[in-house]
Amino acid sequence: MAMLEVKNIHTYYGNIHALKGISLEVEKGEIVTLIGANGAGKTTTLRTISGLLKPRQGTVLLEGEDITKYPAHELVYRGMAMVPEGRGIFAKLTVNENLDMGAYSRTDKAGIEEDRERVFQLFPRLKERRNQVAGTLSGGEQQMLATARALMARPRILLLDEPSMGLAPVLVESVFDTIQQINKEGTTILLVEQNATMALSIAHRGYVLQTGEIVLADTAENLKQNEMVQKAYLGME
């Protein structure tokens, strides 16, 4: 049984048919990436999976359970967390308070503190700034915080939306190293990323979206060798 299964999802914004029958699977322990141009439907796919948007048709299954009907906050209790595009941190709260917000679904105080130390090991910079107001952090630090906050919910599957957006190249590599580390520690990952080269370098498999439809699905290695992917997304002629 797949960790996550999306079956024939149709999502609309008003009368605009944004997703036209998307189907995909993420197996336990995988990093799966969605790549595509701006407006292809990548973020809409994540928002639909995470309960922020309701599809008009189709189902989303988490470990075999139909979660299509659940609101986003309920899915956190069921093991899914999302790092949204643009980070969405609580700018007026401190780093520590943001991490507390990430753990709102939990009551195990000892476990929460254990996970706080775990994310501080993943992101030592956040430990240094634990009492700093989040809105004063750099872009890279805010991305670290958004990811750390999601991990505080102890998700089995993590949805990441454009984690490298707006970051300096030197930080991008660090972000992707961390994503791999999170995956190695047991978290399944569905990654939406504009930087297809980096995404395919760490993913096990990938899906290519064009105007709300999946046009290619393959291993990351095969997608890197695909002529259409090379020309459209990897900057090769």
Side-chain angles (χ1 to χ4, degrees):
M1 182 200 307
M3 167 73 78
L4 177 71
E5 199 175 348
V6 176
K7 293 181 172 180
N8 194 33
I9 285 291
H10 290 260
T11 301
Y12 288 74
Y13 291 105
N15 293 322
I16 297 167
H17 195 175
L19 299 183
K20 305 164 187 170
I22 296 278
S23 295
L24 59 87
E25 286 187 3
V26 183
E27 299 291 339
K28 186 176 181 180
E30 280 192 309
I31 299 175
V32 172
T33 187
L34 303 181
I35 60 175
N38 280 334
K42 304 186 301 296
T43 292
T44 303
T45 301
L46 286 197
R47 288 172 65 83
T48 303
I49 291 169
S50 66
L52 292 168
L53 291 172
K54 292 295 170 205
R56 286 195 197 170
Q57 189 182 326
T59 52
V60 180
L61 302 173
L62 182 62
E63 295 179 314
E65 181 189 7
D66 183 352
I67 59 167
T68 322
K69 59 186 178 292
Y70 292 123
H73 69 272
E74 181 67 32
L75 296 185
V76 177
Y77 290 94
R78 291 171 188 274
M80 181 184 288
M82 178 163 153
V83 180
E85 181 183 3
R87 295 151 202 154
I89 56 158
F90 298 102
K92 292 183 179 177
L93 300 183
T94 66
V95 167
N96 254 333
E97 287 166 341
N98 268 271
L99 297 179
D100 289 339
M101 294 299 285
Y104 80 91
S105 62
R106 299 170 56 185
T107 54
D108 56 321
K109 285 187 179 173
I112 290 169
E113 289 315 308
E114 199 178 291
D115 284 347
R116 193 188 308 270
E117 285 311 310
R118 177 189 164 219
V119 299
F120 283 153
Q121 281 175 359
L122 269 175
F123 304 106
R125 192 85 60 84
L126 294 183
K127 186 168 189 175
E128 294 166 18
R129 288 160 171 65
R130 61 197 304 165
N131 297 314
Q132 191 168 324
V133 173
T136 64
L137 300 174
S138 70
E141 289 163 351
Q142 289 186 14
Q143 183 60 53
M144 292 174 199
L145 178 57
T147 306
R149 183 184 60 190
L151 290 174
M152 289 299 292
R154 202 176 273 185
R156 294 190 302 285
I157 183 163
L158 182 64
L159 313 183
L160 289 166
D161 194 0
E162 302 283 10
S164 77
M165 184 184 275
L167 299 185
V170 64
L171 284 173
V172 171
E173 211 153 295
S174 164
V175 164
F176 280 93
D177 285 346
T178 306
I179 293 169
Q180 280 186 294
Q181 183 61 36
I182 292 165
N183 177 246
K184 281 177 187 154
E185 289 178 6
T187 306
T188 303
I189 290 172
L190 179 58
L191 168 68
V192 157
E193 179 53 58
Q194 198 70 35
N195 186 334
T197 305
M198 289 299 289
L200 292 173
S201 75
I202 66 164
H204 300 96
R205 293 186 302 111
Y207 293 88
V208 179
L209 268 70
Q210 284 181 0
T211 57
E213 296 179 86
I214 287 171
V215 295
L216 265 179
D218 212 330
T219 65
E221 203 48 53
N222 285 348
L223 287 175
K224 281 193 277 189
Q225 306 305 322
N226 182 284
E227 196 176 332
M228 184 273 277
V229 173
Q230 288 182 346
K231 283 183 178 172
Y233 306 112
L234 304 180
M236 299 166 145
E237 290 303 325

